[in-house]
Amino acid sequence: MIGKGLAGVRTWQCAVLCLGLVSGIATQAAADCPGHPDALGTSRTLVVDPREHLRIGTMQYAETLPLEDHEVVLTFDDGPLGHNSKQVLEILAAQCVKATFFAIGRMAKENPEGVRKLRDAGHSIGTHSQNHPLTFNKMPAEQAKKEIDDGIASVTAALGDSTAPAPFFRIPGLLRAGGVEQYLESKGIQTWSADFPADDWRRISSSRVYELAINRLEAKGKGILLLHDIQARTVAALPRILHELKARGYRIVHVVPASPELPATPTEPQQWQLHPPSENVAISHWPKIPNFVFAATAPLPAPALSDSYWHDDWPIPVAGTSDRGKRRGVPLPLQAPWPRQAPPLPERAAIALPAPSASVFQMQDRLRFALTRAPRSAEPAIAAGPRRVADGAKPAGAGASPRAVAGKPNLGRVHRASASHAARHATQAGGRPPKRLVQVKKRNV
Ligand SMILES: [Zn+2]
């Protein structure tokens, strides 16, 4: 599955060893940078096994390189290209910084010397496809495979000493696709995204590239920085970036692939997360819901009538007629609990109801007195209500006003007179005016 990839790792690693760059694998302090006592330097070399962690870079994936806080990995894409790539190499050399370059196959064919300079300087060399098409997310699988394979072949040819590039691949434009990642996995190649870019491919100033690189690094505290060695603005920003990294206490980590001769740096799985949870913080890790795998999904046969427990033809167990309940110790009811039978009503039940007492219909003396002493002139109005009066009927004996004669009876005057009259008599009889009576009459108007 990964034979070709492993072969590449071995030859790549052999080239490193033969070139006497083993010292680069050990920790290289800034003090080891000849002629540059204030150099940033490369703090350590991280050896990774691509087969254990196939995709890295939190811009797109769950995992990233197992870096400590304030550790940075520098990566440069799309080269090598003449003057700019050469200047980037010189800047890095002045700081004794080791980086990872993702070379394009076509660029390697046009500038093989530039690829060899990368190798001679001790940098890691990954690949970035043959022609850098920005269609990896939708191109046919065979075309993607050819782009990947041709790019590796071109860089290998540029190296010219049977060594192969590192099994690191960055998809052009980070346009990832599942099929591409699976193909890379089958070849034992690690897919590199990044943790933060500096947007140096955009038409922005070198100062802006510097700001984005530093600010985004500060936001994450560590990670993989994506740059392009073919851009003039990157060349202009790089010295300031490296100087600021040192000033802020960041350290450069050089990444190389593992091989049978060079085992991977021991790491814990959580170290491959950008911000792994601290084990000093209590977190509940509840077991996940098990994913049940059913042995068979065929539907069960429908139950037959003979399978049911209740049968209509079964005799209803009644206490005393069956010993089934007794034998099982279950007390059986004397009667079926449902439906309940209501007791029959006695004949002529209405007669049995109590007759209302005569006191229910008694009228209080004050009220009876007030009604019986009300003047006759008010009675027709009270009894007939407003409707008869409104019809124009003249109350018998009433002192009709001129308006009543003209068809508009003065109702308020008639009732006020009768109400005040009744109230006066009631006050004389009981000492208190019958307020209820006055209210009743007003309501009838
Ligand atoms: Zn690119």
Side-chain angles (χ1 to χ4, degrees):
M1 180 181 75
I2 56 173
K4 188 175 181 180
L6 283 178
V9 171
R10 281 195 293 271
T11 53
W12 182 89
Q13 194 57 49
C14 177
V16 174
L17 295 173
C18 293
L19 287 170
L21 297 178
V22 181
S23 58
I25 297 175
T27 300
Q28 182 179 6
D32 297 335
C33 192
H36 302 279
D38 297 327
L40 174 59
T42 301
S43 66
R44 70 178 178 116
T45 298
L46 177 66
V47 184
V48 299
D49 187 343
R51 298 166 300 179
E52 295 181 355
H53 301 275
L54 292 161
R55 290 173 277 277
I56 58 172
T58 52
M59 285 180 65
Q60 294 177 292
Y61 304 117
E63 289 190 333
T64 190
L65 290 170
L67 301 176
E68 300 295 332
D69 186 40
H70 273 64
E71 285 190 336
V72 182
V73 172
L74 299 179
T75 63
F76 295 90
D77 290 7
D78 296 358
L81 179 66
H83 186 63
N84 289 338
S85 295
K86 180 173 175 290
Q87 283 190 291
V88 167
L89 279 180
E90 292 175 354
I91 295 169
L92 295 178
Q95 295 289 331
C96 287
V97 165
K98 296 294 185 292
T100 299
F101 288 77
F102 291 92
I104 296 176
R106 189 180 62 196
M107 306 290 272
K109 290 182 71 173
E110 295 175 357
N111 185 16
E113 182 62 23
V115 178
R116 288 192 286 271
K117 286 183 177 178
L118 296 176
R119 177 197 61 193
D120 296 344
H123 299 293
S124 297
I125 305 174
T127 58
H128 197 38
S129 82
Q130 175 67 9
N131 298 295
H132 202 275
L134 294 176
T135 52
F136 259 85
N137 57 334
K138 55 187 177 183
M139 68 170 57
E142 290 304 317
Q143 184 182 352
K145 293 177 181 177
K146 189 174 190 309
E147 279 287 339
I148 294 170
D149 294 341
D150 288 355
I152 294 172
S154 295
V155 173
T156 303
L159 289 171
D161 58 354
S162 72
T163 60
F168 302 155
F169 184 86
R170 178 170 278 156
I171 301 173
L174 302 181
L175 298 172
R176 60 176 295 269
V180 174
E181 292 165 353
Q182 291 170 10
Y183 179 67
L184 293 168
E185 177 180 347
S186 71
K187 293 174 69 72
I189 297 175
Q190 192 174 43
T191 303
W192 281 51
S193 182
D195 292 315
F196 45 91
D199 294 6
D200 59 343
W201 67 92
R202 295 168 50 205
R203 294 183 178 179
I204 58 177
S205 67
S206 61
S207 295
R208 186 59 181 156
V209 172
Y210 159 80
E211 291 173 356
L212 290 175
I214 298 300
N215 293 342
R216 290 173 176 172
L217 171 58
E218 286 280 82
K220 292 197 171 182
K222 60 180 178 178
I224 306 168
L225 172 60
L226 191 160
L227 295 169
H228 294 79
D229 56 307
I230 63 171
Q231 299 289 347
R233 63 179 66 89
T234 307
V235 174
L238 189 56
R240 288 185 65 194
I241 292 174
L242 299 181
H243 180 269
E244 192 65 19
L245 291 180
K246 182 176 177 62
R248 300 195 184 200
Y250 286 96
R251 304 178 301 279
I252 300 298
V253 175
H254 183 208
V255 184
V256 300
S259 70
E261 297 80 15
L262 186 66
T265 301
T267 58
E268 296 292 333
Q270 63 270 20
Q271 290 181 264
W272 292 78
Q273 300 175 24
L274 186 65
H275 297 294
S278 172
E279 294 186 353
N280 296 327
V281 178
I283 300 176
S284 297
H285 295 285
W286 296 101
K288 294 182 178 179
I289 298 175
N291 185 18
F292 291 106
V293 178
F294 295 94
T297 57
L300 296 172
L305 184 61
S306 58
D307 296 331
S308 63
Y309 180 80
W310 296 100
H311 289 278
D312 292 338
D313 55 346
W314 281 13
I316 298 176
V318 178
T321 60
S322 172
D323 60 350
R324 181 164 160 262
K326 295 178 181 176
R327 278 190 277 110
R328 298 187 180 182
V330 180
L332 297 176
L334 294 176
Q335 294 181 342
W338 184 89
R340 295 184 182 277
Q341 292 182 348
L345 293 174
E347 294 183 1
R348 301 185 68 183
I351 299 176
L353 293 177
S357 172
S359 61
V360 174
F361 303 100
Q362 285 183 347
M363 185 180 293
Q364 294 182 355
D365 293 341
R366 295 178 185 175
L367 180 60
R368 184 191 304 120
F369 179 79
L371 292 175
T372 54
R373 295 300 298 267
R376 286 176 177 269
S377 58
E379 288 175 0
I382 296 172
R387 183 179 172 185
R388 286 188 58 185
V389 176
D391 289 343
K394 182 179 178 181
S401 66
R403 293 185 63 184
V405 173
K408 294 181 180 179
N410 191 344
L411 300 178
R413 184 176 178 181
V414 171
H415 290 285
R416 276 197 298 272
S418 60
S420 60
H421 193 79
R424 185 165 57 250
H425 282 283
T427 302
Q428 292 172 355
R432 278 195 305 177
K435 294 182 180 179
R436 179 178 296 275
L437 178 62
V438 174
Q439 291 172 353
V440 169
K441 287 190 175 181
K442 283 187 177 178
R443 200 175 295 135
N444 285 339
V445 172

